Amino acid sequence: MNIPETLNKSFLFGSFSSDQLRQLAEFTTVKKLKKDERLFDEGEKASAFYFVASGSVKIYRISSEGQEHTIEIQRDGDLVAEAAIFDKETYPAFCQAMDETVLLRIPKHDFIQMIERHPRIAIEIMHGYSKRLRWFVRLVEDLTMHNIKSRLARYILNNLSRDSERHISKLSISKKELASLLGTIPETLSRTLKSLKKDGLIGEEGDYIVIQNLRRLREVAE
Amino acid sequence: MNIPETLNKSFLFGSFSSDQLRQLAEFTTVKKLKKDERLFDEGEKASAFYFVASGSVKIYRISSEGQEHTIEIQRDGDLVAEAAIFDKETYPAFCQAMDETVLLRIPKHDFIQMIERHPRIAIEIMHGYSKRLRWFVRLVEDLTMHNIKSRLARYILNNLSRDSERHISKLSISKKELASLLGTIPETLSRTLKSLKKDGLIGEEGDYIVIQNLRRLREVAE
DNA sequence: CGTTGCGTTGATCTCTATCAAAAAAGGTGG
DNA sequence: CCACCTTTTTTGATAGAGATCAACGCAACG
């Protein structure tokens, strides 16, 4: 795989000139992970950040009681640990591949130098940060103001795609993961899905959620 | 008040050269707010961000049921809405002064131009973003993994200062605000404080929380 | 003084976690 | 393809945390 070409797929790097991409590729290395392999651990010194070329990784923390808690899932085109670039500190969470995953490793130091030469890049990165921050603000709001049913409804609605005449939402992660992502446990997720099905808002077909009553699902999501 | 001097107090701008501060001051204007006056509304077009010179503002959203929900409180030295700089969109929340507050208004457009000339600034800003992101990650973890008693304990511990021989924590906001900030309601906060007092971990003296058993309070906070 | 908003207390109810166990779904090696 | 084992998902019963509703004391303020 050609590194400049891969980078070009990203929202972030998509606006780079081919010259900039070539420069970036100079200090970028490819990192391949098998399913469940860890990219970094919480507390590890952060010397680089990553770009997901293919596959997906989950970012999670472990509570004092040993419970794993997913913070987010990053897929191809996303950046991982870019928040660690400018803080000289350590990774704030664990990162583990959810499938066979290919990443580009971008050393912090080289990247900062590049920014100094090409400030436009910084603006793109900051744009990404802004989005991320906004997303977290929403998440916090969600966690404090809404119950699980509405969080689940929101998740389903955010994932919507069209299949012939129907609205569907592919569950690309296990329900166990989804529960963790929604800030709950599998049992509760199972019951919540059941309740939405009972009320005729959704149906389940294998890995897909089929929307049966979009309007009412939106109402639940608020 | 001298603008460059004021800016210099900030963590963010503290690293700027006097030349840079002077430049920044050129397009910066002073904005004064009375208590409870709003700086901007959710959904309003975001054309500038702000630096809090004195006083404090709260960032909050309003739920569909009309309930106000505080996201964070920014004090002197903090930035407000810097996440809106690079997203061309709108402010994602309301912002209202909690006291008599003086802010510096920094137009987005001018600031971006300045970054292009002085990439170092960008790195400082990104540093701030990183910190903020980390903070939110912690907050999300807090909300999903800890109960209110431990959140409250954490809040008290983060506010700690020394008064002669005692550890104290000043409640600089109303309990109603604090409840909102901790993601709960005043009734529950009141009961939680009561429980901590009953167990001899803290005491209350006017606007101050007096720590009576630091070790056990830390245990509750985990 | 009456009014208004804040803080506290009590009773009750709802949601969600926990614990336990069965059912279903995936592997894996023969 | 099957028997076996592991992990995920579902279901049930129960307990606990926190929200809601209602009421009251209290201070600030016109």
Side-chain angles (χ1 to χ4, degrees), chain A residues 83-163:
Chain A
I85 317 174
F86 304 101
D87 260 344
K88 55 213 83 188
E89 310 166 36
T90 53
Y91 294 115
F94 295 89
C95 177
Q96 187 181 61
M98 297 181 71
D99 322 288
E100 198 88 349
T101 300
V102 179
L103 303 112
L104 301 180
R105 180 179 192 279
I106 305 173
K108 183 162 130 170
H109 179 72
D110 296 319
F111 193 70
I112 288 182
Q113 283 194 337
M114 190 168 170
I115 286 175
E116 289 178 354
R117 283 200 299 278
H118 306 285
R120 276 252 143 237
I121 297 173
I123 291 171
E124 287 300 326
I125 298 257
M126 285 192 269
H127 190 86
Y129 273 131
S130 302
K131 285 221 149 109
R132 200 71 159 281
L133 263 175
R134 257 172 220 256
W135 185 82
F136 270 106
V137 168
R138 293 289 160 140
L139 182 58
V140 168
E141 190 192 334
D142 212 34
L143 289 170
T144 52
M145 315 217 291
H146 301 291
N147 59 23
I148 293 193
K149 196 182 271 192
S150 97
R151 294 219 287 281
L152 174 58
R154 200 114 14 93
Y155 179 88
I156 293 171
L157 291 169
N158 283 337
N159 256 14
L160 229 54
S161 61
R162 264 185 170 285
D163 168 50

Side-chain angles (χ1 to χ4, degrees), chain A residues 12-190:
Chain A
L12 175 61
F13 300 117
S15 63
F16 283 23
S17 69
S18 57
D19 186 50
Q20 284 172 340
L21 284 176
R22 226 173 297 121
Q23 267 187 61
L24 196 55
E26 264 170 42
F27 48 80
T28 296
T29 54
V30 174
K31 175 109 188 170
K32 292 182 188 183
L33 294 182
K34 290 196 184 37
K35 182 170 156 56
D36 294 335
E37 207 176 333
R38 281 212 298 280
L39 182 59
F40 51 76
D41 288 350
E42 179 177 333
E44 201 177 291
K45 189 145 171 286
S47 57
F49 68 105
Y50 297 85
F51 171 75
V52 185
S54 69
S56 57
V57 296
K58 71 173 169 189
I59 314 294
Y60 64 99
R61 297 197 39 150
I62 293 180
S63 72
S64 45
E65 295 92 36
Q67 261 207 21
E68 188 179 307
H69 213 279
T70 307
I71 297 163
E72 55 182 345
I73 290 173
Q74 299 293 78
R75 302 168 189 291
D76 44 308
D78 293 331
L79 291 183
V80 171
E82 80 273 32
I85 317 174
F86 304 101
D87 260 344
K88 55 213 83 188
E89 310 166 36
T90 53
Y91 294 115
F94 295 89
C95 177
Q96 187 181 61
M98 297 181 71
D99 322 288
E100 198 88 349
T101 300
V102 179
L103 303 112
L104 301 180
R105 180 179 192 279
I106 305 173
K108 183 162 130 170
H109 179 72
D110 296 319
F111 193 70
I112 288 182
Q113 283 194 337
M114 190 168 170
I115 286 175
E116 289 178 354
R117 283 200 299 278
H118 306 285
R120 276 252 143 237
I121 297 173
I123 291 171
E124 287 300 326
I125 298 257
M126 285 192 269
H127 190 86
Y129 273 131
S130 302
K131 285 221 149 109
R132 200 71 159 281
L133 263 175
R134 257 172 220 256
W135 185 82
F136 270 106
V137 168
R138 293 289 160 140
L139 182 58
V140 168
E141 190 192 334
D142 212 34
L143 289 170
T144 52
M145 315 217 291
H146 301 291
N147 59 23
I148 293 193
K149 196 182 271 192
S150 97
R151 294 219 287 281
L152 174 58
R154 200 114 14 93
Y155 179 88
I156 293 171
L157 291 169
N158 283 337
N159 256 14
L160 229 54
S161 61
R162 264 185 170 285
D163 168 50
S164 61
E165 272 318 293
R166 305 186 306 172
H167 290 284
I168 57 168
S169 186
K170 184 170 163 50
L171 293 181
S172 44
I173 55 178
S174 73
K175 290 183 179 167
K176 196 183 160 207
E177 284 294 346
L178 180 55
S180 184
L181 207 53
L182 294 177
T184 186
I185 55 174
E187 291 95 317
T188 300
L189 173 61
S190 177

